[in-house]
Amino acid sequence: MSNKIVVENGVLNVPNNPVIPFIEGDGIGPDIWAAASRVIDAAVEKAYNGEKKIEWLEVLAGEKAFNQTGEWLPQETLDKIDEYLIAIKGPLTTPIGGGIRSLNVALRQELDLYVCLRPVRHFDGVPSPVKRPEDVDMVIFRENTEDIYAGIEYKAGSDEQKKLLNFLQTELGVNKIRFPETSGLGIKPVSQEGTERLVRAAIEYAIKHNKPSVTLVHKGNIMKFTEGGFKQWGYDLAEKEFGDQTFTWNQYDAIKAEQGEAAANEAQAKAVAEGKIIVKDSIADIFLQQILTRPTEFDVVATMNLNGDYISDALAAQVGGIGIAPGANINYVTGHAIFEATHGTAPKYAGLDKVNPSSVLLSGVLMLEHLGWQEAADLVTASVEKTISSKVVTYDFARLMDGATEVKCSEFANELIKNL
Ligand SMILES: NC(=O)C1=CN([C@@H]2O[C@H](COP(=O)(O)OP(=O)(O)OC[C@H]3O[C@@H](n4cnc5c(N)ncnc54)[C@H](OP(=O)(O)O)[C@@H]3O)[C@@H](O)[C@H]2O)C=CC1
Ligand SMILES: O=C(O)CCC(=O)C(=O)O
Ligand SMILES: [Mg+2]
């Protein structure tokens, strides 16, 4: 039997010994990947008595790739992930202000992994800066291929910047750039198709997991045709494709305008009683306040690339920090997915065997769930809960806990394996 994961009629077919490519990552990548992969292997072995086993296939990207091949993201890496469908990666460095563009973004764009899925929930015993971290239970659907984040920008003074500036000024009559000659210029594409496929995935997730609401987060009051477009296209999609399963604040506003507020409230209450998902929206600045002040009001969050980047780190802090925040980049149509930690390469801790491997490990749990290997996923989750409750933790949690035993990254993995 082939050891390739394939997608057939939209359903993943996973053999017992699937080949799964991995990218170790830069900085802390080697430490966290060594720890996490040992725990994943042990959980799979235990859950299936050796009947199932992942065949890891290393593929290169980042500094390791550059040192070995002279390329930051070799074509072979993309080809292998394309071929084997599902992969997992550690973080990759992106220099600031110049140098190569993000390899993380490039992987998402090259494989058209249009959803960045980042579930955020609290694990018992994890120290948090907020009073009720258990109130945070949100799943972020971040658009992953467009927006200002896609990296279409031109350096101040470059020929391209001058051409674009000239076009803006002479063809479009733009006269609001305060210091035109010395401005770097960026382009923010946000499309109807890109919005629709992201919001569709978010609503389908909410339906499948019985989540009561989907919130579209945007700054559409200021960026009317990009972020405002996202909001409108999102509402339109909900009404067009999920009319029987959703009630939108767009519909609420229409009823209110025609029949008054009481009728709109009644319609919304009826929709909730019928188990419909409320599709609402929130402007990004107040959203960042409300996830702190009233987190129980948010369940599934659909947003654009840059907002999603900020929101994921902010929400991660509320449940104990970036060391425990998992993620996945997914194309629900082709079946391609790369699971990855939310955090970066934390260069000051590189090679110290110190940091928390939970972010990439829990990304591995998302991967096991995606493969349908729920038993192995549950073993890892239970072990993380048990280990943290026993206060055996890495430095990031130890510094916020009373009476904790601080262990190294690899020792934390040993403890997790013991507690499987
Ligand atoms: N998807 C990816 O591959 C990503 C890559 N990056 C890249 O990573 C590089 C470094 O980015 P930077 O902004 O410093 O952000 P990082 O996420 O790498 O690190 C910031 C801080 O977060 C904490 N942290 C990160 N990972 C862990 C962990 N596993 N366990 C415990 N604490 C952790 C540390 O906090 P403390 O100092 O308090 O101990 C660390 O100093 C950049 O090149 C950036 O572009 C960034 C994000 C995602
Ligand atoms: O690509 C990078 O270096 C940063 C990416 C990032 O912060 C993210 O995707 O959350
Ligand atoms: Mg980020």
Side-chain angles (χ1 to χ4, degrees), residues 12 14 48 52 367-375:
L12 275 191
V14 183
Y48 307 111
K52 294 182 197 271
M367 184 184 80
L368 293 170
E369 288 173 343
H370 190 77
L371 300 181
W373 293 12
Q374 191 64 46
E375 300 80 3

Side-chain angles (χ1 to χ4, degrees), residues 60-115:
L60 300 177
E63 284 155 20
K64 197 168 182 180
F66 188 74
N67 292 338
Q68 290 187 22
T69 70
E71 287 182 65
W72 294 99
L73 183 57
Q75 185 58 41
E76 193 187 349
T77 295
L78 292 167
D79 292 344
K80 287 278 184 257
I81 300 175
D82 188 23
E83 179 180 354
Y84 289 106
L85 219 57
I86 307 287
I88 185 163
K89 69 178 275 293
L92 296 168
T93 303
T94 313
I96 300 165
I100 55 161
R101 290 222 166 256
S102 167
L103 302 169
N104 309 301
V105 172
L107 280 163
R108 298 165 192 168
Q109 289 181 332
E110 289 291 331
L111 292 154
D112 201 23
L113 306 174
Y114 59 87
V115 169

Side-chain angles (χ1 to χ4, degrees), residues 118 142 149 309 313 342:
R118 290 184 168 170
R142 164 192 178 192
Y149 212 93
D309 191 19
D313 280 26
T342 294

Side-chain angles (χ1 to χ4, degrees), residues 334-355:
T334 63
H336 288 100
I338 302 181
F339 293 79
E340 75 172 332
T342 294
H343 62 71
T345 55
K348 67 182 176 188
Y349 297 122
L352 300 184
D353 190 18
K354 183 176 173 79
V355 297

Side-chain angles (χ1 to χ4, degrees), residues 126-145:
V126 171
S128 155
V130 300
K131 282 191 189 145
R132 286 194 302 278
E134 64 281 5
D135 284 355
V136 178
D137 184 6
M138 296 181 213
V139 182
I140 302 163
F141 277 73
R142 164 192 178 192
E143 203 291 322
N144 222 9
T145 61

Side-chain angles (χ1 to χ4, degrees), residues 114-115 141 192-208 214 216 230 233-238 240-242 246 277 300 302 332-333:
Y114 59 87
V115 169
F141 277 73
Q192 182 175 354
E193 289 93 326
T195 301
E196 287 186 346
R197 63 183 184 169
L198 187 271
V199 174
R200 184 179 297 117
I203 295 177
E204 281 172 350
Y205 182 97
I207 292 170
K208 188 168 169 203
V214 174
L216 309 171
F230 177 88
W233 292 319
Y235 275 142
D236 291 347
L237 185 277
K240 197 169 57 194
E241 293 188 11
F242 300 95
T246 61
I277 293 158
V300 175
Y332 286 99
V333 179

Side-chain angles (χ1 to χ4, degrees), residues 225-253:
F225 306 127
T226 50
E227 306 238 345
F230 177 88
K231 174 193 151 189
Q232 194 54 48
W233 292 319
Y235 275 142
D236 291 347
L237 185 277
E239 290 167 23
K240 197 169 57 194
E241 293 188 11
F242 300 95
D244 294 341
Q245 291 137 305
T246 61
F247 180 82
T248 70
W249 275 10
N250 217 21
Q251 292 167 320
Y252 178 97
D253 286 343

Side-chain angles (χ1 to χ4, degrees), residues 140-159:
I140 302 163
F141 277 73
R142 164 192 178 192
E143 203 291 322
N144 222 9
T145 61
E146 352 188 78
D147 197 0
I148 194 79
Y149 212 93
I152 308 166
E153 49 167 16
Y154 302 101
K155 192 173 176 180
S158 66
D159 285 349

